[in-house]
Amino acid sequence: MAKAGRALEELVATLETLLSDSLVEIKSPDRIRGKTGGGLREVDVSLRTRVGSANILVIMECRDRSDPQTVEWIDAIAGKQEEVGANKAVAVSRSGFTSHARAQAQAKGIELRTIGEVDRASVWDWLGVAVVTARVNNLMEMKSAQIIIPDSVSTEANSEALSIVSGAASDALILVKTSDGTPASVLDVWRAAPQSDLLSSLRPGETKRGTVHLLPSDPGQWFAIPITDDTVPITEVVIVADFRVDERNVPIARFEYLGDDGPLIEGASAEFSHEGSTVKMVIHSAPDGSMFLVVEQPDGADLSFEANLVLGVIDNDEDSTPAEQ
């Protein structure tokens, strides 16, 4: 389970990446060996670069609390800065700082950052839209599935693979992820693969039965059938199912990433959740006027703010062997 405040740390790391050049290495979180005791100290965000022959380390600590942060937190950050030998420390608080904390930060040379909410009415002036449409792709009921095995697979391996997948349920862990060997099911393939034109053509609330060919967007992040002492690759999975698409309007919130001298970067975000998965879209405007879109979506989430990468339905490969499930 992610620790409280992790979302703020990830946001800060993203904002600092946009503000930094390509020579700055940014990690979140990072573990740095302390000067005393030799133990590792965790920092929320670290930035490393070189100036001439000198290595420069900046650490950033983040807090997503409801009350302004106090001098005690500033002192703790100053102590951590000294312990890890950082050249600079930055404190980021979504709720701001007390006046004593600001004075102590100035005395200790610690820079302060806040995430400031901006009037929602200004979102339209900034982006030209105040809401975005969230799209949820639902597989209502799977009727059948074919797992396609290349003809290059040996007869013995093909036979063993067929015996594993034949008649298995859609949620049975008959596959593995090629990236790390994690057990997976046909439903996991559905969640991971780019969605089909069939789904993009559905009207919100409409249910339709159709055939979808699931192919990898990245061959290194695909699936295989585990057999004795090996795995059998698969080229695609063909499913027949009832599908439905739901849509909802999600309001956009605008924010500013503020330093002591004013805004460093502006942004707008929208997020929605469905069945335990959350997708977040963030638009960032850099000081030079350029804009960046970042979409954060967990693996296996059938959610999007716009159509997922679309790959049209194609015919079965005549040189492949279908493995009926």
Side-chain angles (χ1 to χ4, degrees):
M1 179 180 296
K3 71 174 184 178
R6 180 61 188 148
L8 177 60
E9 296 168 13
E10 292 173 341
L11 173 61
V12 168
T14 299
L15 295 175
E16 291 294 333
T17 299
L18 297 177
L19 290 167
S20 303
D21 61 38
S22 59
L23 299 179
V24 179
E25 179 188 9
I26 298 176
K27 292 183 179 180
S28 176
D30 195 8
R31 291 169 178 81
I32 304 171
R33 195 165 301 281
K35 294 179 179 179
T36 60
L40 295 176
R41 298 292 302 274
E42 181 173 311
V43 299
D44 294 335
V45 183
S46 70
L47 296 85
R48 289 181 172 86
T49 190
R50 287 180 66 87
V51 177
S53 61
N55 293 317
I56 303 299
L57 170 64
V58 177
I59 63 170
M60 307 186 72
E61 293 295 304
C62 309
R63 275 195 175 177
D64 191 355
R65 307 281 179 86
S66 58
D67 297 323
Q69 295 307 293
T70 63
V71 67
E72 287 78 14
W73 188 45
I74 299 300
D75 286 338
I77 294 173
K80 183 178 291 188
Q81 177 186 359
E82 173 65 22
E83 173 65 12
V84 301
N87 302 89
K88 192 74 177 178
V90 181
V92 185
S93 168
R94 193 180 288 276
S95 56
F97 303 87
T98 66
S99 58
H100 288 164
R102 288 188 173 277
Q104 184 73 338
Q106 184 175 12
K108 297 284 188 179
I110 295 174
E111 293 189 17
L112 303 181
R113 302 278 189 272
T114 58
I115 305 293
E117 298 294 332
V118 181
D119 182 5
R120 188 178 297 277
S122 69
V123 172
W124 177 272
D125 297 331
W126 193 58
L127 292 177
V129 295
V131 298
V132 292
T133 300
R135 185 178 177 90
V136 182
N137 298 325
N138 299 288
L139 191 159
M140 304 303 294
E141 183 179 359
M142 188 178 297
K143 300 298 182 180
S144 66
Q146 284 184 313
I147 299 175
I148 309 300
I149 300 173
D151 270 353
S152 58
V153 174
S154 69
T155 301
E156 182 179 353
N158 184 77
S159 177
E160 183 176 352
L162 286 172
S163 69
I164 293 172
V165 303
S166 296
S170 60
D171 59 353
L173 300 179
I174 57 173
L175 308 174
V176 292
K177 294 183 178 180
T178 56
S179 58
D180 58 11
T182 302
S185 67
V186 170
L187 287 178
D188 292 318
V189 181
W190 151 257
R191 297 183 183 109
Q195 301 302 294
S196 162
D197 277 330
L198 170 69
L199 300 176
S200 62
S201 66
L202 286 179
R203 295 187 300 271
E206 177 186 8
T207 298
K208 182 177 181 180
R209 180 168 298 178
T211 301
V212 173
H213 294 244
L214 304 176
L215 297 130
S217 56
D218 177 0
Q221 302 287 328
W222 195 228
F223 300 87
I225 303 170
I227 61 174
T228 305
D229 299 325
D230 202 357
T231 59
V232 170
I234 62 176
T235 56
E236 66 175 306
V237 175
V238 184
I239 62 174
V240 177
D242 293 334
F243 302 97
R244 190 185 74 217
V245 169
D246 295 322
E247 290 186 351
R248 71 186 75 159
N249 289 330
V250 180
I252 301 174
R254 186 177 171 189
F255 64 88
E256 293 177 319
Y257 186 45
L258 302 166
D260 290 333
D261 297 325
L264 298 172
I265 194 169
E266 294 181 90
S269 65
E271 67 177 71
F272 74 105
S273 299
H274 177 74
E275 295 183 351
S277 296
T278 299
V279 175
K280 185 173 184 179
M281 180 191 74
V282 185
I283 301 170
H284 304 287
S285 176
D288 63 2
S290 58
M291 300 185 76
F292 304 85
L293 172 65
V294 178
V295 177
E296 302 170 1
Q297 176 168 314
D299 292 339
D302 300 325
L303 320 173
S304 64
F305 282 106
E306 55 186 0
N308 288 332
L309 295 176
V310 172
L311 193 61
V313 176
I314 65 171
D315 293 332
N316 287 342
D317 185 348
E318 294 181 356
D319 296 327
S320 297
T321 301
E324 289 284 357
Q325 185 192 4

